[in-house]
């Protein structure tokens, strides 16, 4: 039964760097497409993360945390229903995942199960894809469980690898043509599922 008083669920986004994936969700929300959730908080383990500035520029509350205990407290105090990892580079412990209890989703810059798991993050993922010589790569949104990049896949989008690609040009294309598209859509679909389950 949908709680009519709670039109939208509370979303918290975790960032560690530039925050372009966060920006894609902010833009999606500003375009009026985020019908089931609202970004109420952006947190980072890095006080200089540019993603925090993107949040502040859009009047979204921010926080910097130094431990998982601090993070759990701030998520609880803001009644967060779903946690979105968007360019967040720390591996959350099984204890944290168990403690938080609500869904956690992550964007990974490859077609899982290729080029994922421990050590496969950021630009390294694209270096591995070029090294292997794949003709297609892409991005994956998945639920987070205790296995790094091992949770249930929510959505994926394919991107071609070009002859003259470098890790940097490939990363940019995967972000532009895959990550920034499927992440906001997945945030809406997961938020809708949570809202309908309330
Ligand atoms: C992106 O490729 C993301 O998939 C990876 O980190 C990169 C930077 O993301 N996890 P952002 O610009 O900080 O969102």
């Amino acid at each position: 039964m949908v709680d009519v008083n709670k039109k939208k669920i509370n979303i918290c986004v975790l960032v560690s760097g530039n925050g372009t994936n966060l920006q894609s969700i902010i833009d999606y929300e500003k375009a009026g497409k985020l019908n089931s959730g609202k970004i109420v908080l952006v947190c980072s383990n890095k006080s200089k993360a540019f993603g925090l500035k993107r949040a502040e520029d859009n009047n979204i509350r921010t926080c910097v945390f130094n431990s998982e205990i601090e993070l759990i407290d701030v998520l609880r105090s803001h009644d967060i229903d779903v946690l979105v990892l968007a360019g967040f580079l720390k591996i959350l412990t099984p204890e944290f995942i168990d403690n938080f209890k609500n869904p956690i989703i992550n964007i990974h810059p490859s077609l899982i199960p290729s080029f994922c798991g421990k050590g496969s993050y950021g630009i390294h993922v694209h270096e591995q894809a070029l090294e292997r010589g794949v003709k297609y790569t892409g991005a994956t949104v998945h639920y987070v469980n205790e296995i790094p990049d091992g949770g249930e896949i929510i959505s994926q989008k394919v991107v071609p690898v070009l002859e003259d690609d470098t890790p940097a040009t490939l990363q940019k294309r995967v972000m532009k043509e895959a990550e920034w598209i499927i992440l906001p859509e997945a945030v809406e679909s997961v938020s809708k599922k949570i809202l309908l389950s309330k």
Side-chain angles (χ1 to χ4, degrees):
M1 185 61 183
V2 176
D3 173 356
V4 288
N5 302 317
K6 185 158 186 170
K7 287 254 180 301
K8 297 193 173 189
I9 66 155
N10 292 329
I11 300 165
C12 174
V13 183
L14 297 193
V15 297
S16 291
N18 191 0
T20 62
N21 277 286
L22 164 68
Q23 191 64 55
S24 72
I25 310 168
I26 291 172
D27 295 344
Y28 193 83
E29 185 171 13
K30 286 164 83 171
K33 296 177 185 171
L34 196 55
N35 304 313
S36 310
K38 180 171 174 38
I39 308 171
V40 298
L41 184 64
V42 171
C43 299
S44 181
N45 54 325
K46 304 267 183 212
S47 58
K48 300 257 183 296
F50 189 68
L52 294 171
K53 171 133 181 17
R54 293 179 189 271
E56 286 150 14
D57 289 352
N58 287 278
N59 304 313
I60 299 167
R61 184 170 295 183
T62 61
C63 96
V64 176
F65 61 92
N66 297 304
S67 71
E68 288 190 343
I69 303 211
E70 275 180 39
L71 179 58
I72 276 278
D73 283 348
V74 75
L75 295 177
R76 286 197 180 130
S77 60
H78 286 78
D79 190 22
I80 299 300
D81 298 296
V82 62
L83 190 55
V84 180
L85 311 186
F88 181 66
L89 297 180
K90 257 177 86 68
I91 303 285
L92 295 168
T93 62
E95 294 71 28
F96 173 88
I97 294 166
D98 196 43
N99 245 334
F100 177 56
K101 300 213 186 317
N102 291 336
I104 305 173
I105 68 174
N106 180 52
I107 177 86
H108 181 77
S110 76
L111 298 173
I112 288 174
S114 298
F115 317 121
C116 66
K118 217 161 167 42
S120 295
Y121 60 89
I123 196 80
H124 303 305
V125 173
H126 306 291
E127 288 165 350
Q128 292 165 18
L130 291 172
E131 180 67 31
R132 185 64 186 83
V134 294
K135 304 307 173 193
Y136 291 91
T137 185
T140 303
V141 183
H142 62 93
Y143 285 104
V144 171
N145 64 12
E146 64 291 349
I147 303 161
D149 300 327
E152 178 195 342
I153 289 174
I154 297 166
S155 62
Q156 296 188 303
K157 192 160 180 5
V158 175
V159 168
V161 179
L162 305 183
E163 276 298 306
D164 57 352
D165 262 330
T166 64
T169 59
L170 184 55
Q171 178 177 48
K172 188 89 190 128
R173 187 177 319 109
V174 168
M175 290 168 93
K176 198 157 172 280
E177 296 180 13
E179 297 179 44
W180 299 342
I181 294 168
I182 63 171
L183 181 59
E185 289 172 350
V187 170
E188 169 52 26
S189 67
V190 170
S191 298
K192 189 172 179 182
K193 212 166 142 187
I194 295 167
L195 189 60
L196 294 175
S197 71
K198 283 186 174 291

